[in-house]
Amino acid sequence: EAYRKLMQRMAIALAILNALTFLLYGTDKAAARRGGNRVPENVLHLCALMGGWVGALLAQRLFHHKTGKRSFQSIFLITILVNGAFLFWVFRH
């Protein structure tokens, strides 16, 4: 029972984090278009690293944002790999 509740809370937290990450990408894209204050790349990467990489990936594809910047995509790929390794470790233990 406790494990199920923990998993539910983690799923809710991840859903919120992914929605937030998606919104941050949208905000950054809008700021880039109008020349406003941008969301720092480190913030975008941190959100992805904490588990928001699905929202980040969806936002990148939908908004066509950061998809052509190789250095950004390299770091983004690392955040996905770290998440995958973490999930592998969690489900193995």
Side-chain angles (χ1 to χ4, degrees):
E1 177 66 24
Y3 178 77
R4 187 178 62 78
K5 284 189 176 192
L6 175 64
M7 289 294 120
Q8 286 175 338
R9 289 182 181 142
M10 286 178 59
I12 291 168
L14 278 174
I16 292 168
L17 178 60
N18 275 280
L20 174 65
T21 303
F22 184 88
L23 291 172
L24 284 173
Y25 270 80
T27 299
D28 189 49
K29 179 65 176 193
R33 285 184 173 158
R34 70 173 188 279
N37 290 334
R38 303 287 301 274
V39 176
E41 287 186 355
N42 287 340
V43 171
L44 298 175
H45 286 311
L46 180 61
C47 287
L49 183 62
M50 291 181 355
W53 66 270
V54 174
L57 186 62
L58 292 173
Q60 287 178 25
R61 300 304 177 244
L62 182 66
F63 304 133
H64 304 286
H65 191 50
K66 301 287 188 185
T67 56
K69 190 170 183 184
R70 280 190 125 98
S71 60
F72 186 90
Q73 287 299 312
S74 296
I75 296 170
F76 180 64
L77 177 60
I78 292 169
T79 68
I80 294 172
L81 294 173
V82 168
N83 271 270
F86 177 73
L87 288 173
F88 180 77
W89 180 81
V90 165
F91 289 110
R92 293 270 310 191
H93 292 86

Coordinates of all heavy atoms in Angstrom, one line a residue:
E1 N 0.8 -1.2 0.0 CA 0.0 0.0 0.0 C 0.9 1.3 0.0 O 0.6 2.2 -0.7 CB -1.0 0.0 1.2 CG -1.8 1.2 1.4 CD -2.8 1.4 0.2 OE1 -3.2 0.4 -0.4 OE2 -3.2 2.6 0.0
A2 N 1.9 1.3 0.9 CA 2.8 2.4 1.0 C 3.5 2.6 -0.3 O 3.7 3.7 -0.8 CB 3.7 2.3 2.1
Y3 N 4.0 1.5 -0.9 CA 4.7 1.6 -2.2 C 3.8 2.1 -3.3 O 4.2 2.9 -4.1 CB 5.2 0.2 -2.6 CG 5.9 0.1 -3.9 CD1 7.2 0.6 -4.0 CD2 5.3 -0.4 -5.0 CE1 7.9 0.5 -5.2 CE2 6.0 -0.4 -6.2 CZ 7.3 0.0 -6.3 OH 7.9 0.0 -7.5
R4 N 2.5 1.7 -3.3 CA 1.6 2.2 -4.4 C 1.4 3.7 -4.2 O 1.4 4.4 -5.2 CB 0.3 1.4 -4.3 CG -0.7 1.7 -5.4 CD -2.0 0.9 -5.3 NE -2.7 1.2 -4.1 CZ -3.5 2.2 -3.9 NH1 -3.6 3.1 -4.8 NH2 -4.2 2.4 -2.8
K5 N 1.2 4.1 -3.0 CA 1.0 5.6 -2.8 C 2.3 6.4 -3.2 O 2.1 7.4 -3.8 CB 0.7 5.8 -1.3 CG -0.7 5.5 -1.0 CD -1.1 6.0 0.4 CE -2.6 5.7 0.6 NZ -3.1 6.3 1.8
L6 N 3.4 5.8 -2.9 CA 4.7 6.5 -3.3 C 4.7 6.6 -4.8 O 5.1 7.6 -5.3 CB 5.9 5.8 -2.7 CG 7.2 6.3 -3.2 CD1 7.5 7.7 -2.6 CD2 8.4 5.4 -2.7
M7 N 4.4 5.5 -5.5 CA 4.5 5.5 -7.0 C 3.5 6.5 -7.5 O 3.7 7.2 -8.5 CB 4.2 4.1 -7.5 CG 5.3 3.1 -7.3 SD 6.8 3.6 -8.2 CE 8.0 3.8 -7.0
Q8 N 2.3 6.6 -6.9 CA 1.3 7.6 -7.4 C 1.8 9.0 -7.2 O 1.6 9.8 -8.1 CB 0.0 7.4 -6.6 CG -0.8 6.2 -7.0 CD -2.1 5.9 -6.2 OE1 -2.1 6.4 -5.0 NE2 -3.0 5.2 -6.7
R9 N 2.4 9.3 -6.1 CA 2.9 10.6 -5.8 C 4.0 11.0 -6.8 O 4.1 12.1 -7.3 CB 3.4 10.7 -4.4 CG 2.2 10.8 -3.4 CD 2.7 10.9 -2.0 NE 1.5 11.0 -1.1 CZ 1.5 10.4 0.1 NH1 2.6 9.8 0.6 NH2 0.4 10.4 0.8
M10 N 4.9 10.0 -7.0 CA 6.0 10.2 -8.0 C 5.4 10.5 -9.4 O 5.9 11.3 -10.1 CB 6.9 9.0 -8.0 CG 7.8 9.0 -6.7 SD 8.9 7.6 -6.7 CE 9.9 7.8 -8.1
A11 N 4.4 9.7 -9.8 CA 3.8 9.9 -11.1 C 3.2 11.3 -11.2 O 3.3 12.0 -12.2 CB 2.8 8.8 -11.4
I12 N 2.5 11.7 -10.2 CA 1.9 13.1 -10.2 C 3.0 14.1 -10.2 O 2.9 15.1 -11.0 CB 1.0 13.3 -8.9 CG1 -0.2 12.4 -9.1 CG2 0.6 14.7 -8.8 CD1 -1.0 12.3 -7.8
A13 N 4.1 14.0 -9.4 CA 5.2 14.9 -9.5 C 5.8 15.0 -10.8 O 6.1 16.1 -11.3 CB 6.2 14.6 -8.4
L14 N 6.0 13.8 -11.5 CA 6.6 13.8 -12.8 C 5.7 14.5 -13.8 O 6.2 15.2 -14.7 CB 6.9 12.4 -13.2 CG 8.3 11.9 -12.7 CD1 8.4 10.4 -13.1 CD2 9.4 12.7 -13.2
A15 N 4.4 14.3 -13.7 CA 3.4 14.9 -14.7 C 3.5 16.4 -14.5 O 3.5 17.1 -15.5 CB 2.0 14.4 -14.4
I16 N 3.5 16.9 -13.3 CA 3.6 18.3 -13.0 C 5.0 18.9 -13.6 O 5.0 19.9 -14.2 CB 3.5 18.6 -11.6 CG1 2.0 18.3 -11.1 CG2 3.8 20.1 -11.2 CD1 1.8 18.3 -9.6
L17 N 6.1 18.2 -13.3 CA 7.4 18.6 -13.8 C 7.4 18.6 -15.3 O 8.0 19.6 -15.9 CB 8.5 17.7 -13.2 CG 9.9 18.0 -13.7 CD1 10.3 19.4 -13.3 CD2 10.9 17.0 -13.1
N18 N 6.9 17.6 -16.0 CA 6.9 17.6 -17.4 C 6.0 18.7 -18.0 O 6.4 19.4 -19.0 CB 6.4 16.3 -17.9 CG 7.6 15.3 -18.0 OD1 8.4 15.3 -18.9 ND2 7.7 14.5 -16.9
A19 N 4.9 19.0 -17.4 CA 4.0 20.2 -17.8 C 4.8 21.5 -17.6 O 4.8 22.3 -18.5 CB 2.7 20.2 -17.0
L20 N 5.4 21.6 -16.5 CA 6.2 22.8 -16.2 C 7.3 23.0 -17.3 O 7.6 24.1 -17.8 CB 6.8 22.8 -14.8 CG 7.7 24.0 -14.5 CD1 7.0 25.3 -14.5 CD2 8.4 23.7 -13.1
T21 N 8.0 21.9 -17.5 CA 9.1 21.9 -18.5 C 8.6 22.3 -19.9 O 9.2 23.2 -20.6 CB 9.8 20.6 -18.5 OG1 10.3 20.2 -17.2 CG2 11.0 20.6 -19.5
F22 N 7.5 21.8 -20.3 CA 6.8 22.1 -21.5 C 6.5 23.6 -21.6 O 6.8 24.3 -22.6 CB 5.6 21.3 -21.7 CG 4.9 21.4 -23.0 CD1 5.2 20.7 -24.1 CD2 3.9 22.4 -23.2 CE1 4.6 20.8 -25.3 CE2 3.2 22.5 -24.4 CZ 3.6 21.8 -25.5
L23 N 6.0 24.1 -20.5 CA 5.6 25.5 -20.5 C 6.9 26.4 -20.5 O 6.9 27.5 -21.2 CB 4.8 25.9 -19.2 CG 3.4 25.3 -19.2 CD1 2.7 25.5 -17.9 CD2 2.5 25.9 -20.3
L24 N 7.9 26.0 -19.9 CA 9.2 26.8 -19.9 C 9.7 26.9 -21.3 O 10.2 27.9 -21.8 CB 10.2 26.2 -19.0 CG 10.0 26.5 -17.5 CD1 11.0 25.7 -16.6 CD2 10.1 27.9 -17.2
Y25 N 9.7 25.8 -22.0 CA 10.1 25.8 -23.4 C 9.3 26.7 -24.3 O 9.8 27.5 -25.1 CB 10.1 24.4 -24.0 CG 11.4 23.6 -23.9 CD1 11.7 22.9 -22.7 CD2 12.3 23.5 -24.9 CE1 12.8 22.2 -22.5 CE2 13.5 22.8 -24.8 CZ 13.7 22.1 -23.6 OH 14.9 21.4 -23.4
G26 N 8.0 26.7 -24.1 CA 7.1 27.5 -24.8 C 7.3 29.0 -24.5 O 7.3 29.9 -25.4
T27 N 7.6 29.3 -23.2 CA 7.9 30.6 -22.8 C 9.2 31.1 -23.4 O 9.3 32.2 -23.9 CB 8.0 30.7 -21.2 OG1 6.8 30.3 -20.7 CG2 8.4 32.1 -20.7
D28 N 10.2 30.2 -23.4 CA 11.5 30.6 -24.0 C 11.4 30.8 -25.5 O 11.9 31.8 -26.0 CB 12.5 29.5 -23.7 CG 13.9 30.0 -24.1 OD1 14.3 31.1 -23.7 OD2 14.6 29.2 -24.8
K29 N 10.6 30.0 -26.2 CA 10.4 30.2 -27.6 C 9.7 31.5 -27.9 O 10.1 32.3 -28.8 CB 9.6 29.0 -28.2 CG 9.3 29.2 -29.7 CD 10.6 29.1 -30.5 CE 10.3 29.1 -32.0 NZ 11.4 28.7 -32.8
A30 N 8.7 31.9 -27.1 CA 8.0 33.1 -27.3 C 8.9 34.3 -27.0 O 8.9 35.3 -27.8 CB 6.8 33.2 -26.4
A31 N 9.8 34.2 -26.0 CA 10.7 35.2 -25.7 C 11.7 35.4 -26.8 O 12.2 36.5 -27.1 CB 11.4 35.0 -24.3
A32 N 12.2 34.3 -27.4 CA 13.1 34.3 -28.5 C 12.6 35.1 -29.7 O 13.3 35.8 -30.3 CB 13.6 32.9 -28.9
R33 N 11.3 34.8 -29.9 CA 10.7 35.5 -31.1 C 10.5 37.0 -30.9 O 10.7 37.7 -31.8 CB 9.3 34.9 -31.3 CG 9.3 33.5 -32.0 CD 7.9 33.0 -32.3 NE 8.0 31.8 -33.0 CZ 7.0 31.0 -33.1 NH1 5.9 31.2 -32.4 NH2 7.1 29.9 -33.8
R34 N 10.2 37.4 -29.7 CA 10.0 38.8 -29.5 C 11.2 39.6 -28.9 O 11.1 40.8 -28.6 CB 8.7 39.0 -28.6 CG 8.9 38.6 -27.2 CD 7.6 39.0 -26.4 NE 7.8 38.8 -25.0 CZ 7.7 37.6 -24.4 NH1 7.3 36.5 -25.1 NH2 7.9 37.4 -23.1
G35 N 12.2 38.9 -28.6 CA 13.4 39.5 -28.1 C 13.3 39.8 -26.6 O 14.0 40.7 -26.1
G36 N 12.6 39.0 -25.9 CA 12.4 39.2 -24.4 C 13.4 38.5 -23.6 O 14.4 37.9 -24.1
N37 N 13.1 38.4 -22.3 CA 14.0 37.7 -21.4 C 13.8 36.2 -21.6 O 12.7 35.7 -21.5 CB 13.6 38.1 -19.9 CG 14.0 39.5 -19.6 OD1 14.9 40.0 -20.2 ND2 13.3 40.0 -18.6
R38 N 14.9 35.5 -21.8 CA 15.0 34.1 -22.1 C 15.1 33.3 -20.9 O 15.5 33.7 -19.8 CB 16.2 33.8 -23.0 CG 16.2 34.6 -24.3 CD 15.2 34.1 -25.3 NE 15.3 32.7 -25.7 CZ 16.1 32.2 -26.6 NH1 16.9 33.0 -27.3 NH2 16.1 30.9 -26.8
V39 N 14.6 32.0 -21.0 CA 14.8 31.1 -19.9 C 16.2 30.5 -20.1 O 16.6 30.1 -21.2 CB 13.8 29.9 -20.0 CG1 14.1 28.8 -19.0 CG2 12.4 30.4 -19.9
P40 N 17.1 30.6 -19.1 CA 18.4 30.1 -19.2 C 18.5 28.6 -19.6 O 17.6 27.8 -19.2 CB 19.0 30.3 -17.8 CG 18.2 31.3 -17.2 CD 16.8 31.1 -17.7
E41 N 19.4 28.2 -20.5 CA 19.5 26.9 -20.9 C 19.7 25.9 -19.8 O 19.2 24.8 -19.8 CB 20.6 26.7 -22.0 CG 20.2 27.3 -23.3 CD 21.3 27.0 -24.4 OE1 22.3 26.4 -24.1 OE2 21.0 27.4 -25.6
N42 N 20.5 26.4 -18.8 CA 20.7 25.5 -17.6 C 19.4 25.1 -16.9 O 19.3 24.0 -16.4 CB 21.7 26.2 -16.6 CG 23.1 26.2 -17.1 OD1 23.5 25.5 -18.0 ND2 23.9 27.1 -16.6
V43 N 18.5 26.0 -16.9 CA 17.2 25.8 -16.3 C 16.4 24.7 -17.1 O 15.9 23.8 -16.5 CB 16.3 27.0 -16.1 CG1 14.9 26.7 -15.7 CG2 17.0 28.0 -15.2
L44 N 16.5 24.8 -18.4 CA 15.8 23.9 -19.3 C 16.5 22.5 -19.1 O 15.8 21.5 -19.0 CB 15.9 24.3 -20.7 CG 15.2 25.6 -21.1 CD1 15.4 26.0 -22.5 CD2 13.7 25.5 -20.8
H45 N 17.8 22.4 -19.0 CA 18.5 21.2 -18.8 C 18.2 20.6 -17.4 O 18.0 19.4 -17.3 CB 20.0 21.3 -19.0 CG 20.4 21.5 -20.4 ND1 20.0 20.7 -21.4 CD2 21.2 22.4 -21.0 CE1 20.5 21.1 -22.6 NE2 21.2 22.1 -22.4
L46 N 18.2 21.4 -16.4 CA 17.9 20.9 -15.1 C 16.5 20.3 -15.0 O 16.3 19.2 -14.4 CB 18.0 22.1 -14.0 CG 17.8 21.7 -12.6 CD1 18.8 20.6 -12.1 CD2 17.9 22.9 -11.7
C47 N 15.5 21.0 -15.6 CA 14.2 20.4 -15.6 C 14.1 19.0 -16.3 O 13.5 18.1 -15.8 CB 13.2 21.3 -16.3 SG 12.8 22.8 -15.3
A48 N 14.9 18.9 -17.4 CA 14.9 17.6 -18.1 C 15.6 16.6 -17.3 O 15.2 15.4 -17.2 CB 15.6 17.8 -19.4
L49 N 16.7 17.0 -16.6 CA 17.5 16.1 -15.8 C 16.7 15.5 -14.6 O 16.8 14.4 -14.2 CB 18.8 16.7 -15.3 CG 19.7 15.9 -14.5 CD1 20.3 14.7 -15.3 CD2 20.9 16.8 -13.9
M50 N 15.8 16.4 -14.1 CA 15.0 16.0 -12.9 C 13.8 15.1 -13.3 O 13.1 14.6 -12.4 CB 14.5 17.2 -12.2 CG 15.6 18.0 -11.5 SD 15.1 19.5 -10.6 CE 13.4 19.7 -10.9
G51 N 13.7 14.9 -14.6 CA 12.6 13.9 -15.0 C 11.6 14.6 -16.0 O 10.7 13.9 -16.5
G52 N 11.8 15.8 -16.4 CA 10.9 16.5 -17.3 C 11.3 16.4 -18.7 O 10.9 17.2 -19.6
W53 N 12.1 15.4 -19.1 CA 12.7 15.3 -20.4 C 11.6 14.9 -21.4 O 11.7 15.3 -22.6 CB 13.8 14.3 -20.5 CG 13.4 12.9 -20.2 CD1 13.4 12.2 -19.0 CD2 13.0 11.9 -21.2 NE1 13.0 11.0 -19.2 CE2 12.7 10.7 -20.5 CE3 12.8 11.9 -22.6 CZ2 12.3 9.6 -21.1 CZ3 12.3 10.8 -23.2 CH2 12.1 9.6 -22.5
V54 N 10.5 14.3 -21.0 CA 9.4 14.0 -22.0 C 8.7 15.3 -22.4 O 8.5 15.5 -23.6 CB 8.4 13.0 -21.4 CG1 7.2 12.8 -22.3 CG2 9.1 11.6 -21.1
G55 N 8.4 16.1 -21.4 CA 7.8 17.4 -21.7 C 8.8 18.3 -22.6 O 8.3 19.0 -23.5
A56 N 10.1 18.2 -22.3 CA 11.0 18.9 -23.1 C 11.1 18.5 -24.5 O 11.1 19.3 -25.5 CB 12.4 18.8 -22.4
L57 N 11.1 17.2 -24.7 CA 11.1 16.6 -26.0 C 9.9 17.0 -26.8 O 9.9 17.4 -28.0 CB 11.2 15.1 -26.0 CG 11.4 14.3 -27.3 CD1 12.7 14.8 -28.0 CD2 11.5 12.8 -27.0
L58 N 8.7 16.9 -26.2 CA 7.5 17.3 -26.9 C 7.5 18.7 -27.2 O 7.1 19.1 -28.4 CB 6.3 17.0 -26.0 CG 5.9 15.5 -25.7 CD1 4.8 15.3 -24.7 CD2 5.6 14.8 -27.0
A59 N 7.9 19.6 -26.3 CA 8.0 21.0 -26.6 C 9.0 21.3 -27.7 O 8.7 22.2 -28.6 CB 8.4 21.8 -25.3
Q60 N 10.1 20.7 -27.7 CA 11.1 20.9 -28.8 C 10.5 20.6 -30.1 O 10.7 21.3 -31.1 CB 12.3 20.0 -28.6 CG 13.2 20.5 -27.4 CD 14.4 19.5 -27.2 OE1 14.8 18.8 -28.1 NE2 14.9 19.5 -26.0
R61 N 9.8 19.5 -30.2 CA 9.2 19.1 -31.5 C 8.0 20.0 -31.9 O 7.9 20.4 -33.0 CB 8.7 17.7 -31.5 CG 9.8 16.7 -31.2 CD 11.0 16.8 -32.2 NE 12.1 15.9 -31.9 CZ 13.3 16.2 -31.5 NH1 13.6 17.5 -31.4 NH2 14.2 15.3 -31.3
L62 N 7.2 20.3 -30.9 CA 6.0 21.2 -31.2 C 6.4 22.6 -31.6 O 5.9 23.2 -32.5 CB 5.0 21.2 -30.0 CG 3.7 21.9 -30.2 CD1 2.9 21.3 -31.3 CD2 3.0 22.0 -28.9
F63 N 7.3 23.2 -30.8 CA 7.7 24.6 -31.0 C 8.9 24.7 -31.9 O 9.3 25.9 -32.2 CB 8.0 25.2 -29.6 CG 6.9 25.2 -28.6 CD1 7.1 24.8 -27.3 CD2 5.6 25.5 -29.0 CE1 6.1 24.7 -26.4 CE2 4.6 25.4 -28.0 CZ 4.8 25.0 -26.7
H64 N 9.5 23.6 -32.4 CA 10.7 23.7 -33.2 C 11.7 24.5 -32.5 O 12.3 25.5 -33.0 CB 10.4 24.2 -34.6 CG 9.3 23.4 -35.3 ND1 9.6 22.2 -35.8 CD2 8.0 23.7 -35.5 CE1 8.5 21.7 -36.4 NE2 7.5 22.6 -36.2
H65 N 11.9 24.2 -31.2 CA 12.8 25.0 -30.4 C 14.0 24.2 -29.9 O 13.8 23.2 -29.3 CB 12.0 25.6 -29.2 CG 12.7 26.6 -28.4 ND1 13.3 27.7 -29.0 CD2 12.9 26.8 -27.1 CE1 13.8 28.5 -28.1 NE2 13.6 27.9 -26.9
K66 N 15.2 24.8 -30.1 CA 16.4 24.2 -29.7 C 16.8 22.9 -30.4 O 17.7 22.2 -30.1 CB 16.4 23.9 -28.1 CG 16.2 25.1 -27.3 CD 17.4 26.0 -27.2 CE 17.2 27.1 -26.2 NZ 18.3 28.0 -26.2
T67 N 16.0 22.6 -31.5 CA 16.3 21.3 -32.2 C 17.5 21.4 -33.1 O 18.1 20.3 -33.3 CB 15.1 20.9 -33.0 OG1 14.8 22.0 -33.9 CG2 13.9 20.6 -32.2
G68 N 17.9 22.5 -33.5 CA 19.1 22.7 -34.4 C 20.4 23.0 -33.7 O 21.4 23.1 -34.3
K69 N 20.3 23.3 -32.4 CA 21.5 23.7 -31.6 C 22.2 22.4 -31.1 O 21.7 21.8 -30.1 CB 21.1 24.6 -30.5 CG 22.2 25.3 -29.8 CD 21.8 26.4 -28.9 CE 23.0 27.0 -28.3 NZ 22.7 28.0 -27.3
R70 N 23.2 22.1 -31.7 CA 23.9 20.8 -31.4 C 24.4 20.7 -30.0 O 24.3 19.7 -29.4 CB 25.1 20.6 -32.4 CG 24.8 20.1 -33.7 CD 26.0 19.7 -34.4 NE 26.0 18.4 -34.9 CZ 25.7 18.0 -36.1 NH1 25.4 18.9 -37.0 NH2 25.7 16.7 -36.5
S71 N 25.0 21.8 -29.5 CA 25.5 21.7 -28.1 C 24.4 21.5 -27.1 O 24.5 20.7 -26.2 CB 26.3 23.0 -27.8 OG 25.4 24.1 -27.9
F72 N 23.2 22.1 -27.4 CA 22.1 21.9 -26.5 C 21.6 20.5 -26.6 O 21.3 19.9 -25.6 CB 21.0 22.9 -26.8 CG 19.8 22.9 -25.9 CD1 19.8 23.7 -24.8 CD2 18.7 22.0 -26.1 CE1 18.7 23.7 -23.9 CE2 17.7 21.9 -25.2 CZ 17.7 22.8 -24.1
Q73 N 21.5 20.0 -27.8 CA 20.9 18.6 -28.0 C 21.9 17.6 -27.4 O 21.4 16.6 -26.9 CB 20.7 18.4 -29.5 CG 19.5 19.1 -30.0 CD 18.2 18.7 -29.4 OE1 17.9 17.5 -29.2 NE2 17.4 19.7 -28.9
S74 N 23.2 17.8 -27.4 CA 24.1 16.9 -26.8 C 23.9 16.8 -25.3 O 23.8 15.7 -24.8 CB 25.6 17.3 -27.1 OG 25.8 17.3 -28.4
I75 N 23.7 17.9 -24.7 CA 23.5 17.9 -23.2 C 22.1 17.3 -22.9 O 21.9 16.5 -22.0 CB 23.6 19.3 -22.6 CG1 25.1 19.8 -22.8 CG2 23.2 19.3 -21.1 CD1 25.3 21.2 -22.4
F76 N 21.1 17.6 -23.8 CA 19.8 17.1 -23.6 C 19.8 15.6 -23.7 O 19.2 14.9 -22.9 CB 18.8 17.7 -24.6 CG 17.4 17.2 -24.5 CD1 16.7 17.5 -23.4 CD2 16.8 16.5 -25.5 CE1 15.4 17.0 -23.2 CE2 15.6 16.0 -25.4 CZ 14.8 16.3 -24.3
L77 N 20.5 15.0 -24.6 CA 20.7 13.6 -24.7 C 21.3 13.0 -23.5 O 20.8 11.9 -23.0 CB 21.5 13.2 -26.0 CG 21.8 11.7 -26.2 CD1 20.5 11.0 -26.4 CD2 22.7 11.5 -27.4
I78 N 22.2 13.6 -22.9 CA 22.8 13.2 -21.7 C 21.8 13.1 -20.5 O 21.7 12.2 -19.8 CB 24.1 14.0 -21.3 CG1 25.2 13.8 -22.3 CG2 24.5 13.7 -19.8 CD1 26.3 14.7 -22.1
T79 N 20.9 14.1 -20.5 CA 19.9 14.1 -19.4 C 18.9 12.9 -19.6 O 18.5 12.3 -18.6 CB 19.1 15.4 -19.4 OG1 18.3 15.6 -20.6 CG2 20.0 16.7 -19.2
I80 N 18.6 12.6 -20.9 CA 17.8 11.4 -21.1 C 18.5 10.1 -20.7 O 17.9 9.3 -20.1 CB 17.3 11.4 -22.6 CG1 16.4 12.6 -23.0 CG2 16.6 10.1 -22.9 CD1 16.1 12.7 -24.4
L81 N 19.7 10.0 -21.0 CA 20.5 8.8 -20.7 C 20.6 8.7 -19.2 O 20.5 7.6 -18.6 CB 21.9 8.9 -21.3 CG 21.9 8.8 -22.9 CD1 23.3 9.0 -23.4 CD2 21.3 7.4 -23.3
V82 N 20.8 9.8 -18.5 CA 20.9 9.8 -17.0 C 19.6 9.3 -16.4 O 19.5 8.5 -15.5 CB 21.3 11.1 -16.4 CG1 21.2 11.2 -14.9 CG2 22.8 11.4 -16.8
N83 N 18.5 9.8 -17.0 CA 17.2 9.4 -16.5 C 16.9 7.9 -16.7 O 16.4 7.2 -15.9 CB 16.1 10.2 -17.2 CG 15.7 11.5 -16.5 OD1 14.9 11.5 -15.6 ND2 16.4 12.6 -16.8
G84 N 17.3 7.5 -17.9 CA 17.2 6.0 -18.2 C 18.0 5.2 -17.3 O 17.5 4.1 -16.8
A85 N 19.2 5.6 -17.0 CA 20.1 4.8 -16.1 C 19.5 4.8 -14.7 O 19.5 3.8 -14.0 CB 21.5 5.4 -16.1
F86 N 18.9 5.9 -14.3 CA 18.3 6.0 -12.9 C 17.1 5.1 -12.9 O 16.9 4.3 -11.9 CB 17.9 7.5 -12.6 CG 17.2 7.6 -11.3 CD1 17.9 7.5 -10.1 CD2 15.9 7.8 -11.3 CE1 17.3 7.6 -8.9 CE2 15.2 8.0 -10.1 CZ 15.9 7.8 -8.9
L87 N 16.3 5.1 -13.9 CA 15.1 4.3 -13.9 C 15.5 2.8 -13.9 O 14.9 2.0 -13.2 CB 14.2 4.6 -15.1 CG 13.4 5.9 -15.0 CD1 12.7 6.2 -16.3 CD2 12.4 5.9 -13.8
F88 N 16.5 2.5 -14.7 CA 17.0 1.1 -14.7 C 17.4 0.7 -13.3 O 17.1 -0.4 -12.8 CB 18.1 1.0 -15.7 CG 18.7 -0.4 -15.8 CD1 18.0 -1.4 -16.5 CD2 19.9 -0.7 -15.2 CE1 18.6 -2.7 -16.6 CE2 20.4 -2.0 -15.2 CZ 19.8 -3.0 -15.9
W89 N 18.2 1.5 -12.6 CA 18.7 1.2 -11.3 C 17.5 1.1 -10.3 O 17.5 0.1 -9.5 CB 19.6 2.3 -10.8 CG 20.2 2.1 -9.5 CD1 21.2 1.3 -9.1 CD2 19.6 2.6 -8.3 NE1 21.4 1.3 -7.8 CE2 20.4 2.1 -7.2 CE3 18.6 3.5 -8.0 CZ2 20.2 2.5 -5.9 CZ3 18.4 3.9 -6.6 CH2 19.2 3.4 -5.6
V90 N 16.5 2.0 -10.4 CA 15.4 1.9 -9.5 C 14.6 0.6 -9.6 O 14.3 0.0 -8.6 CB 14.4 3.1 -9.7 CG1 13.1 2.9 -9.0 CG2 15.1 4.4 -9.2
F91 N 14.3 0.2 -10.9 CA 13.5 -1.0 -11.1 C 14.3 -2.3 -10.9 O 13.7 -3.3 -10.8 CB 12.8 -0.9 -12.4 CG 11.7 0.1 -12.4 CD1 11.8 1.3 -13.1 CD2 10.6 -0.1 -11.6 CE1 10.8 2.2 -13.1 CE2 9.5 0.8 -11.6 CZ 9.6 2.0 -12.3
R92 N 15.6 -2.2 -10.9 CA 16.4 -3.4 -10.6 C 16.6 -3.6 -9.1 O 16.9 -4.7 -8.7 CB 17.8 -3.2 -11.2 CG 17.9 -3.2 -12.7 CD 18.0 -4.5 -13.3 NE 19.2 -5.2 -12.6 CZ 19.6 -6.3 -13.1 NH1 19.2 -6.9 -14.2 NH2 20.6 -7.0 -12.5
H93 N 16.4 -2.6 -8.3 CA 16.6 -2.7 -6.8 C 15.3 -2.7 -6.1 O 14.4 -2.4 -5.8 CB 17.5 -1.6 -6.3 CG 18.9 -1.8 -6.8 ND1 19.3 -1.3 -8.0 CD2 19.9 -2.5 -6.3 CE1 20.6 -1.6 -8.2 NE2 21.0 -2.3 -7.2

